[in-house]
Amino acid sequence: MEDLAAWRTGGQKEVSLRPETARVAEGKQALRIDVRIDHDAGEGIQGKQYPKGWPRVERNPQPPLDLSPVGAIGFDLWTESSRAAMPGSSLHMILRDQSGANWSANLGQLPLGKWQHFRLDLGAFRRDAIVHWQFFLSESDYNHGDAASFIIDNVVGYAAQRSRQLLPG
């Protein structure tokens, strides 16, 4: 993941991002997300205060990103943590299009200390005008004070598979 300039945090004090150069799956650098869980800080969203938040990193491409030729997004993910094992819902990914429609994936319980490859099928989600791409976690899935780091690299788009309808012969 060579160009990290468009990525930023969602503004929560618990999360930071930086280029990772020591551990990469491909190329010279990856996106590293570091989170320190804080159940006391809370997070305000659209005028409401929540006791536990959703630390995140995001990019908001302008002009919108056209992923119409892409049927699936792939990437490699390395996870480190102060925990002995990650929770069953360790990290999530969201895409949002210009109309406000969302596509999301729960990446499940991530293994510690090894690369895991993901290939996420975008299904029927309209993807010709992506205006928001986000990775986030829910602090309620973690214990107060937990530390977690996610290294994301080798992001690729897989071509959309065109199916053909077979007519009775």
Side-chain angles (χ1 to χ4, degrees):
M1 188 179 250
E2 300 309 308
D3 185 7
L4 306 179
W7 290 94
R8 61 182 178 83
T9 70
Q12 306 79 18
K13 68 178 184 67
E14 301 94 337
V15 64
S16 63
L17 67 89
R18 63 185 167 92
E20 171 66 42
T21 57
R23 183 176 311 282
V24 296
E26 177 270 330
K28 295 182 190 226
Q29 68 179 11
L31 172 65
R32 182 182 182 99
I33 305 164
D34 295 309
V35 182
R36 173 69 68 176
I37 303 301
D38 183 351
H39 287 177
D40 298 329
E43 181 175 355
I45 297 177
Q46 297 178 351
K48 295 182 182 177
Q49 188 67 26
Y50 297 91
K52 298 173 187 168
W54 298 269
R56 60 193 168 273
V57 298
E58 59 195 18
R59 63 180 287 200
N60 299 296
Q62 288 301 324
L65 187 60
D66 182 2
L67 295 178
S68 54
V70 173
I73 292 179
F75 55 90
D76 295 319
L77 179 64
W78 180 279
T79 305
E80 301 171 350
S81 181
S82 62
R83 300 172 58 104
M86 295 300 282
S89 186
S90 304
L91 190 68
H92 306 261
M93 187 179 110
I94 292 177
L95 295 175
R96 182 173 305 121
D97 74 7
Q98 212 165 24
S99 76
N102 288 318
W103 173 93
S104 65
N106 175 349
L107 303 182
Q109 185 175 22
L110 299 171
L112 292 170
K114 70 178 195 174
W115 287 106
Q116 180 173 0
H117 183 73
F118 286 89
R119 182 179 173 145
L120 305 175
D121 184 354
L122 299 176
F125 176 66
R126 186 174 173 181
R127 49 198 174 268
D128 61 342
I130 303 298
V131 296
H132 185 76
W133 186 350
Q134 177 185 116
F135 289 96
F136 78 95
L137 60 80
S138 176
E139 285 187 306
S140 62
D141 292 327
Y142 291 82
N143 297 319
H144 179 74
D146 282 349
S149 295
F150 307 96
I151 301 170
I152 301 167
D153 201 7
N154 197 24
V155 177
V156 296
Y158 292 102
Q161 298 294 319
R162 303 286 182 219
S163 61
R164 60 187 173 119
Q165 183 176 5
L166 299 177
L167 299 174

